[in-house]
PDB file of all heavy atoms in Angstrom:
ATOM      1  N   LEU A 236     168.096 213.931 125.068  1.00 96.00           N
ATOM      2  CA  LEU A 236     168.097 214.846 126.209  1.00 96.00           C
ATOM      3  C   LEU A 236     167.266 216.084 125.898  1.00 96.00           C
ATOM      4  O   LEU A 236     166.616 216.652 126.779  1.00 96.00           O
ATOM      5  CB  LEU A 236     169.536 215.249 126.570  1.00 96.00           C
ATOM      6  CG  LEU A 236     170.373 214.159 127.246  1.00 96.00           C
ATOM      7  CD1 LEU A 236     171.813 214.619 127.418  1.00 96.00           C
ATOM      8  CD2 LEU A 236     169.761 213.769 128.586  1.00 96.00           C
ATOM      9  N   GLY A 237     167.295 216.477 124.634  1.00 96.00           N
ATOM     10  CA  GLY A 237     166.464 217.594 124.237  1.00 96.00           C
ATOM     11  C   GLY A 237     164.987 217.224 124.279  1.00 96.00           C
ATOM     12  O   GLY A 237     164.148 217.983 124.785  1.00 96.00           O
ATOM     13  N   ASP A 238     164.668 216.040 123.770  1.00 94.00           N
ATOM     14  CA  ASP A 238     163.272 215.596 123.719  1.00 94.00           C
ATOM     15  C   ASP A 238     162.673 215.413 125.107  1.00 94.00           C
ATOM     16  O   ASP A 238     161.514 215.732 125.346  1.00 94.00           O
ATOM     17  CB  ASP A 238     163.160 214.246 122.983  1.00 94.00           C
ATOM     18  CG  ASP A 238     163.449 214.387 121.510  1.00 94.00           C
ATOM     19  OD1 ASP A 238     163.633 215.533 121.048  1.00 94.00           O
ATOM     20  OD2 ASP A 238     163.505 213.353 120.813  1.00 94.00           O
ATOM     21  N   ASP A 239     163.467 214.815 125.992  1.00 95.00           N
ATOM     22  CA  ASP A 239     162.933 214.511 127.320  1.00 95.00           C
ATOM     23  C   ASP A 239     164.031 214.646 128.363  1.00 95.00           C
ATOM     24  O   ASP A 239     164.704 213.678 128.711  1.00 95.00           O
ATOM     25  CB  ASP A 239     162.372 213.081 127.342  1.00 95.00           C
ATOM     26  CG  ASP A 239     161.718 212.781 128.691  1.00 95.00           C
ATOM     27  OD1 ASP A 239     161.900 213.579 129.637  1.00 95.00           O
ATOM     28  OD2 ASP A 239     161.031 211.752 128.786  1.00 95.00           O
ATOM     29  N   PRO A 240     164.188 215.844 128.882  1.00 95.00           N
ATOM     30  CA  PRO A 240     165.278 216.115 129.835  1.00 95.00           C
ATOM     31  C   PRO A 240     165.139 215.297 131.112  1.00 95.00           C
ATOM     32  O   PRO A 240     166.102 215.158 131.869  1.00 95.00           O
ATOM     33  CB  PRO A 240     165.114 217.611 130.137  1.00 95.00           C
ATOM     34  CG  PRO A 240     164.280 218.160 129.014  1.00 95.00           C
ATOM     35  CD  PRO A 240     163.396 217.052 128.588  1.00 95.00           C
ATOM     36  N   GLN A 241     163.967 214.725 131.332  1.00 95.00           N
ATOM     37  CA  GLN A 241     163.719 213.983 132.567  1.00 95.00           C
ATOM     38  C   GLN A 241     164.128 212.514 132.485  1.00 95.00           C
ATOM     39  O   GLN A 241     163.994 211.787 133.467  1.00 95.00           O
ATOM     40  CB  GLN A 241     162.223 214.033 132.918  1.00 95.00           C
ATOM     41  CG  GLN A 241     161.651 215.440 132.967  1.00 95.00           C
ATOM     42  CD  GLN A 241     162.294 216.250 134.079  1.00 95.00           C
ATOM     43  OE1 GLN A 241     162.535 215.741 135.173  1.00 95.00           O
ATOM     44  NE2 GLN A 241     162.622 217.506 133.809  1.00 95.00           N
ATOM     45  N   LEU A 242     164.546 212.070 131.338  1.00 96.00           N
ATOM     46  CA  LEU A 242     164.797 210.626 131.202  1.00 96.00           C
ATOM     47  C   LEU A 242     165.842 210.158 132.208  1.00 96.00           C
ATOM     48  O   LEU A 242     166.779 210.902 132.543  1.00 96.00           O
ATOM     49  CB  LEU A 242     165.211 210.275 129.773  1.00 96.00           C
ATOM     50  CG  LEU A 242     166.487 210.868 129.199  1.00 96.00           C
ATOM     51  CD1 LEU A 242     167.690 210.029 129.602  1.00 96.00           C
ATOM     52  CD2 LEU A 242     166.394 210.902 127.675  1.00 96.00           C
ATOM     53  N   ASP A 243     165.660 208.953 132.710  1.00 96.00           N
ATOM     54  CA  ASP A 243     166.598 208.470 133.723  1.00 96.00           C
ATOM     55  C   ASP A 243     167.254 207.148 133.332  1.00 96.00           C
ATOM     56  O   ASP A 243     167.935 206.522 134.146  1.00 96.00           O
ATOM     57  CB  ASP A 243     165.908 208.345 135.087  1.00 96.00           C
ATOM     58  CG  ASP A 243     164.736 207.383 135.045  1.00 96.00           C
ATOM     59  OD1 ASP A 243     164.472 206.792 133.968  1.00 96.00           O
ATOM     60  OD2 ASP A 243     164.076 207.220 136.092  1.00 96.00           O
ATOM     61  N   ALA A 244     167.024 206.703 132.095  1.00 97.00           N
ATOM     62  CA  ALA A 244     167.694 205.480 131.636  1.00 97.00           C
ATOM     63  C   ALA A 244     167.651 205.407 130.123  1.00 97.00           C
ATOM     64  O   ALA A 244     166.726 205.921 129.493  1.00 97.00           O
ATOM     65  CB  ALA A 244     167.026 204.246 132.231  1.00 97.00           C
ATOM     66  N   VAL A 245     168.692 204.778 129.557  1.00 98.00           N
ATOM     67  CA  VAL A 245     168.721 204.597 128.106  1.00 98.00           C
ATOM     68  C   VAL A 245     169.234 203.195 127.792  1.00 98.00           C
ATOM     69  O   VAL A 245     170.239 202.753 128.347  1.00 98.00           O
ATOM     70  CB  VAL A 245     169.652 205.616 127.410  1.00 98.00           C
ATOM     71  CG1 VAL A 245     169.551 205.473 125.894  1.00 98.00           C
ATOM     72  CG2 VAL A 245     169.332 207.032 127.834  1.00 98.00           C
ATOM     73  N   PHE A 246     168.477 202.521 126.920  1.00 98.00           N
ATOM     74  CA  PHE A 246     168.993 201.279 126.350  1.00 98.00           C
ATOM     75  C   PHE A 246     169.543 201.609 124.976  1.00 98.00           C
ATOM     76  O   PHE A 246     168.824 202.095 124.102  1.00 98.00           O
ATOM     77  CB  PHE A 246     167.881 200.232 126.243  1.00 98.00           C
ATOM     78  CG  PHE A 246     168.220 199.100 125.313  1.00 98.00           C
ATOM     79  CD1 PHE A 246     169.333 198.292 125.548  1.00 98.00           C
ATOM     80  CD2 PHE A 246     167.438 198.828 124.193  1.00 98.00           C
ATOM     81  CE1 PHE A 246     169.659 197.259 124.685  1.00 98.00           C
ATOM     82  CE2 PHE A 246     167.753 197.789 123.331  1.00 98.00           C
ATOM     83  CZ  PHE A 246     168.865 197.007 123.579  1.00 98.00           C
ATOM     84  N   VAL A 247     170.841 201.355 124.791  1.00 98.00           N
ATOM     85  CA  VAL A 247     171.480 201.690 123.520  1.00 98.00           C
ATOM     86  C   VAL A 247     171.729 200.396 122.742  1.00 98.00           C
ATOM     87  O   VAL A 247     172.259 199.428 123.287  1.00 98.00           O
ATOM     88  CB  VAL A 247     172.820 202.421 123.747  1.00 98.00           C
ATOM     89  CG1 VAL A 247     173.338 202.982 122.433  1.00 98.00           C
ATOM     90  CG2 VAL A 247     172.644 203.529 124.773  1.00 98.00           C
ATOM     91  N   ALA A 248     171.362 200.384 121.462  1.00 97.00           N
ATOM     92  CA  ALA A 248     171.319 199.136 120.701  1.00 97.00           C
ATOM     93  C   ALA A 248     172.685 198.525 120.398  1.00 97.00           C
ATOM     94  O   ALA A 248     172.757 197.370 119.985  1.00 97.00           O
ATOM     95  CB  ALA A 248     170.527 199.326 119.415  1.00 97.00           C
ATOM     96  N   ASN A 249     173.749 199.294 120.554  1.00 95.00           N
ATOM     97  CA  ASN A 249     175.069 198.644 120.546  1.00 95.00           C
ATOM     98  C   ASN A 249     176.063 199.461 121.362  1.00 95.00           C
ATOM     99  O   ASN A 249     175.842 200.647 121.637  1.00 95.00           O
ATOM    100  CB  ASN A 249     175.580 198.372 119.124  1.00 95.00           C
ATOM    101  CG  ASN A 249     176.129 199.604 118.444  1.00 95.00           C
ATOM    102  OD1 ASN A 249     175.814 200.711 118.824  1.00 95.00           O
ATOM    103  ND2 ASN A 249     176.949 199.384 117.423  1.00 95.00           N
ATOM    104  N   ASP A 250     177.132 198.822 121.754  1.00 96.00           N
ATOM    105  CA  ASP A 250     178.076 199.456 122.675  1.00 96.00           C
ATOM    106  C   ASP A 250     178.767 200.663 122.073  1.00 96.00           C
ATOM    107  O   ASP A 250     179.076 201.626 122.772  1.00 96.00           O
ATOM    108  CB  ASP A 250     179.151 198.437 123.109  1.00 96.00           C
ATOM    109  CG  ASP A 250     178.588 197.430 124.094  1.00 96.00           C
ATOM    110  OD1 ASP A 250     177.447 197.617 124.547  1.00 96.00           O
ATOM    111  OD2 ASP A 250     179.303 196.458 124.412  1.00 96.00           O
ATOM    112  N   LEU A 251     179.026 200.592 120.778  1.00 92.00           N
ATOM    113  CA  LEU A 251     179.730 201.681 120.137  1.00 92.00           C
ATOM    114  C   LEU A 251     178.922 202.966 120.273  1.00 92.00           C
ATOM    115  O   LEU A 251     179.453 204.024 120.639  1.00 92.00           O
ATOM    116  CB  LEU A 251     179.943 201.344 118.657  1.00 92.00           C
ATOM    117  CG  LEU A 251     181.185 201.924 118.013  1.00 92.00           C
ATOM    118  CD1 LEU A 251     182.424 201.589 118.818  1.00 92.00           C
ATOM    119  CD2 LEU A 251     181.327 201.397 116.596  1.00 92.00           C
ATOM    120  N   MET A 252     177.631 202.872 120.028  1.00 95.00           N
ATOM    121  CA  MET A 252     176.778 204.054 120.199  1.00 95.00           C
ATOM    122  C   MET A 252     176.710 204.440 121.675  1.00 95.00           C
ATOM    123  O   MET A 252     176.606 205.627 122.008  1.00 95.00           O
ATOM    124  CB  MET A 252     175.376 203.784 119.656  1.00 95.00           C
ATOM    125  CG  MET A 252     175.313 203.664 118.144  1.00 95.00           C
ATOM    126  SD  MET A 252     173.629 203.834 117.469  1.00 95.00           S
ATOM    127  CE  MET A 252     172.812 202.408 118.166  1.00 95.00           C
ATOM    128  N   ALA A 253     176.765 203.443 122.539  1.00 96.00           N
ATOM    129  CA  ALA A 253     176.706 203.737 123.971  1.00 96.00           C
ATOM    130  C   ALA A 253     177.922 204.556 124.401  1.00 96.00           C
ATOM    131  O   ALA A 253     177.817 205.453 125.246  1.00 96.00           O
ATOM    132  CB  ALA A 253     176.630 202.433 124.767  1.00 96.00           C
ATOM    133  N   VAL A 254     179.071 204.262 123.805  1.00 92.00           N
ATOM    134  CA  VAL A 254     180.270 205.037 124.114  1.00 92.00           C
ATOM    135  C   VAL A 254     180.051 206.495 123.733  1.00 92.00           C
ATOM    136  O   VAL A 254     180.369 207.418 124.500  1.00 92.00           O
ATOM    137  CB  VAL A 254     181.490 204.455 123.366  1.00 92.00           C
ATOM    138  CG1 VAL A 254     182.693 205.376 123.509  1.00 92.00           C
ATOM    139  CG2 VAL A 254     181.825 203.065 123.892  1.00 92.00           C
ATOM    140  N   GLY A 255     179.473 206.697 122.547  1.00 93.00           N
ATOM    141  CA  GLY A 255     179.156 208.056 122.118  1.00 93.00           C
ATOM    142  C   GLY A 255     178.140 208.706 123.040  1.00 93.00           C
ATOM    143  O   GLY A 255     178.259 209.887 123.389  1.00 93.00           O
TER     144      GLY A 255
END
Side-chain angles (χ1 to χ4, degrees):
Chain A
L236 287 174
D238 291 355
D239 184 348
Q241 307 296 320
L242 62 84
D243 60 1
V245 185
F246 163 60
V247 190
N249 78 339
D250 286 352
L251 210 53
M252 290 197 296
V254 171

